[in-house]
Amino acid sequence: QRNYASLENNAADVLKKNISNEVKFTTDAYSYLKRNPNFKILSQDDISYFKSILPSNGLIIENDNNYDDLMPYNIDWLRIHRGKSKLVAKPKTTEQVSNIVKYCNEKKLAIVPQGGNTGLVGGGTPIFDEIIISTKNLNQIRDFDPISGTLTCDSGCILEILDNYLAEREHMMPLDIGSKGSCHIGGNVATNAGGVRYLRYGSLHGSILGLEVVLPDGTILNNLSTLRKDNTGYDIKQLFIGSEGTLGIITGVSILTPRRHKAVNVAVLGLKSFKNVQDAFIASKEILTEILSAFEFWDVLSLKLVKTHLAQGTNFPLGDEYPFYALIETGGSNKDHDEEKLSDFLETVMAKGIVENGVIAQDNTQMKNLWSIREGIPDACMKVGSAYFYDISIPISVMYEIVEDVTSRLKDAGLFGNNVVDVIGFGHIGDGNLHLSITSKSYSLEIIRLIESCIREWTDQYKGSLSAEHGLGLIKAKILEHSKPKAMVDIMRKIKHNIDPNGIMNPYKFFPYQ
């Protein structure tokens, strides 16, 4: 844990030094946003109260000497959102969270809950002067039951630390995402994160057994059940999965964890077309069946970005002459059986001309190297300058056509080559989730408008989703009413108003701003 904390602190130091002067305030980019006049401005009396609740190392308060200390909390990972918070609270217990939230509700001080700050839609950073409640210090593993495989932990536990803890007990987290080294499980739950294990283990809506949540009035909702079956009344915990901090602050999580596979194999394939990618996926389901854990893809431009900007790109065993690549992971209990099935799969798809070339990792190091290519794509995009990440659910048959259409429209608008550098596609074939990423020399609202107009047309036509796993946050708040029936959005608003009548929890996010 100390090693991961050190990495996290080093990243924060880099953030402070490199981007504090580059990132504009969110309010400058989103001029329609106006501070809610009902919210109180932080006063010295408020600060005194927080000091009575938390020790000195549990607070970061803006002054002339520590202005930069607030930067890693005020600026998001994408470096496009920057808030103006003057206070970060880092409680260590649920009771401390409760006392802080209750006070904020009584005084009408707006709050932004924040985990690892790795989100991609501006949901975890303030807009104005909201108080940031960080879950970094809520980082204890509370219990693990080896019989049922249930893990109970604080919401600020880092995903990779949890997975390593479970590995020692022959289990694994059902969730795996690229930011696992710094994201928090509470943030994963609050955004209903998906990731590369979704194909096999499904949504967190199915894996989460119970939650502990501090409501906007300070009430501690203790629903940390470890039961897999409970049909007594409404399943209240589901409200908070994907609520993005708008209904309360998740402080504890109970999650069902699967057994870790004794035999794991990873293969990477080179393919000529996206149709070949689809055919390879169909064949993998037919031949690999019960051992198929992940099926990922990326295009050649994604690979070239990783090779150009990241060290792991030099370890890729296939050349960059193939238009598309796929990564397949299998997991089972019998090494010989699994390897035989994977070999049968590769022989079949290559004999049919579906796959041009392929390699199978021979050890754990090679497996990690292959995965690092796929997981490194977002980081490589960020090295270019500015990056725009879109997270779309749409039928697999037309998934890559969106990438081609966006590229064509950017060229027609004269933006490609002038500011836009690349348009790439990668993502989770297994669950129909495309990650469309556009890199540019500088951040541009004109680029955003063009991209989002195009994506909306595609998702409207094919009844897709404009946010498959990243959430709504600030960036996608306006699309809610375009993607859900009015009756459904009205129910969401009623739930929000009833649970948070003062609107202090993560304001200006999630719902279209009014």
Side-chain angles (χ1 to χ4, degrees):
Q1 286 186 344
R2 284 195 298 270
N3 290 338
Y4 286 113
S6 176
L7 288 172
E8 196 172 57
N9 291 336
N10 288 341
D13 288 340
V14 171
L15 193 62
K16 284 190 291 185
K17 292 175 182 177
N18 293 342
I19 68 174
S20 60
N21 295 323
E22 297 176 14
V23 184
K24 294 181 179 180
F25 287 114
T26 303
T27 51
D28 293 337
Y30 295 80
S31 57
Y32 66 87
L33 291 170
K34 305 298 179 186
R35 187 184 187 279
N36 188 334
N38 294 325
F39 293 149
K40 183 179 183 292
I41 295 173
L42 185 71
S43 69
Q44 193 58 49
D45 287 343
D46 300 325
I47 293 172
S48 297
Y49 175 79
F50 296 133
K51 285 181 177 180
S52 74
I53 298 295
L54 299 175
S56 58
N57 61 0
L59 287 171
I60 303 176
I61 305 164
E62 182 185 83
N63 58 50
D64 292 339
N65 298 320
N66 73 343
Y67 178 75
D68 285 348
D69 292 340
L70 289 164
M71 281 298 166
Y73 301 91
N74 268 317
I75 297 176
D76 72 330
W77 181 76
L78 288 178
R79 304 198 302 267
I80 60 175
H81 298 107
R82 180 180 174 186
K84 303 176 182 180
S85 180
K86 299 179 184 301
L87 187 144
V88 177
K90 298 188 288 183
K92 295 189 71 170
T93 69
T94 300
E95 289 70 25
Q96 288 176 341
V97 176
S98 173
N99 289 332
I100 293 168
V101 172
K102 181 180 180 182
Y103 178 86
C104 288
N105 189 55
E106 291 172 351
K107 300 295 183 180
K108 294 187 179 179
L109 288 162
I111 293 170
V112 172
Q114 187 179 98
N117 199 15
T118 58
L120 298 174
V121 290
T125 46
I127 306 298
F128 297 99
D129 56 347
E130 300 89 68
I131 291 169
I132 298 170
I133 298 183
S134 169
T135 59
K136 282 187 177 181
N137 289 339
L138 293 164
N139 55 18
Q140 299 300 303
I141 295 172
R142 303 187 189 183
D143 184 54
F144 176 69
D145 179 2
I147 300 174
S148 63
T150 56
L151 173 74
T152 305
C153 63
D154 289 353
S155 63
C157 289
I158 293 173
L159 180 60
E160 190 168 25
I161 290 178
L162 293 177
D163 200 50
N164 291 339
Y165 170 87
L166 290 169
E168 297 172 357
R169 292 153 180 82
E170 299 183 343
H171 282 70
M172 61 192 286
M173 292 295 286
L175 171 72
D176 185 15
I177 57 179
S179 59
K180 56 181 172 277
S182 51
C183 66
H184 296 182
I185 184 62
N188 300 149
V189 175
T191 56
N192 190 27
V196 298
R197 292 177 182 166
Y198 195 102
L199 171 64
R200 185 155 184 172
Y201 298 110
S203 166
L204 287 175
H205 279 291
S207 299
I208 296 298
L209 300 177
L211 293 175
E212 178 185 80
V213 183
V214 174
L215 300 179
D217 64 357
T219 299
I220 299 173
L221 182 66
N222 190 342
N223 182 222
L224 274 180
S225 171
T226 57
L227 302 175
R228 294 189 68 179
K229 284 186 172 182
D230 182 3
N231 248 359
T232 53
Y234 299 127
D235 192 0
I236 298 299
K237 68 177 182 291
Q238 300 293 345
L239 274 179
F240 301 95
I241 301 172
S243 64
E244 301 184 45
T246 60
L247 300 178
I249 300 178
I250 297 171
T251 54
V253 175
S254 173
I255 186 168
L256 182 65
T257 66
R259 293 283 298 187
R260 188 167 289 266
H261 308 305
K262 293 182 179 179
V264 177
N265 290 287
V266 175
V268 167
L269 317 174
L271 308 101
K272 278 187 175 180
S273 69
F274 190 69
K275 176 66 166 57
N276 290 147
V277 175
Q278 297 172 60
D279 291 341
F281 177 53
I282 293 170
S284 73
K285 291 193 293 180
E286 178 183 343
I287 298 172
L288 300 174
T289 56
E290 81 283 356
I291 64 171
L292 181 63
S293 293
F295 195 109
E296 302 287 301
F297 95 99
W298 60 88
D299 59 19
V300 67
L301 289 176
S302 301
L303 176 62
K304 288 180 177 179
L305 269 175
V306 174
K307 282 189 168 186
T308 300
H309 297 288
L310 302 179
Q312 61 258 42
T314 60
N315 298 321
F316 191 60
L318 297 180
D320 56 11
E321 66 266 30
Y322 307 107
F324 294 93
Y325 298 83
L327 182 149
I328 294 174
E329 180 177 281
T330 65
S333 59
N334 188 310
K335 183 174 183 292
D336 293 337
H337 168 268
D338 294 359
E339 289 180 351
E340 182 180 347
K341 295 195 80 165
L342 185 57
S343 295
D344 182 26
F345 164 76
L346 289 175
E347 289 175 10
T348 300
V349 293
M350 293 187 79
K352 291 183 176 180
I354 296 171
V355 172
E356 299 297 309
N357 200 355
V359 295
I360 301 176
Q362 299 302 304
D363 53 39
N364 286 336
T365 299
Q366 290 185 9
M367 288 182 199
K368 289 179 180 178
N369 286 342
L370 293 178
W371 267 115
S372 72
I373 301 297
R374 163 61 183 86
E375 293 178 340
I377 295 171
D379 285 331
C381 290
M382 294 298 294
K383 302 289 185 182
V384 176
S386 290
Y388 314 83
F389 295 98
Y390 292 89
D391 163 47
I392 307 156
S393 266
I394 201 160
I396 297 171
S397 59
V398 298
M399 183 185 287
Y400 199 75
E401 292 178 30
I402 302 177
V403 182
E404 296 167 337
D405 191 25
V406 168
T407 302
S408 176
R409 294 195 194 195
L410 287 168
K411 287 180 178 178
D412 291 345
L415 295 170
F416 209 100
N418 181 20
N419 191 2
V420 174
V421 178
D422 276 315
V423 179
I424 65 171
F426 62 99
H428 319 298
I429 288 291
D431 49 54
N433 182 187
L434 170 70
H435 292 304
L436 169 69
S437 297
I438 296 88
T439 60
S440 66
K441 299 170 187 175
S442 60
Y443 183 69
S444 165
L445 287 175
E446 182 182 6
I447 294 173
I448 290 175
R449 293 188 191 101
L450 190 150
I451 297 167
E452 293 183 353
S453 173
C454 178
I455 292 172
R456 188 174 290 117
E457 289 177 22
W458 279 91
T459 52
D460 285 349
Q461 180 179 352
Y462 289 98
K463 294 181 170 53
S465 171
L466 288 155
S467 185
E469 63 181 5
H470 291 165
L472 295 171
L474 172 64
I475 293 179
K476 298 183 180 181
K478 285 187 173 182
I479 70 173
L480 180 62
E481 291 179 335
H482 294 282
S483 58
K484 298 292 183 186
K486 181 179 182 300
M488 192 176 292
V489 177
D490 287 345
I491 290 175
M492 293 182 193
R493 288 189 184 279
K494 288 176 183 177
I495 291 170
K496 166 69 172 174
H497 179 72
N498 285 330
I499 294 178
D500 181 23
N502 289 329
I504 65 165
M505 299 300 304
N506 214 7
Y508 321 108
K509 318 281 181 56
F510 202 82
F511 294 102
Y513 182 70
Q514 293 180 343

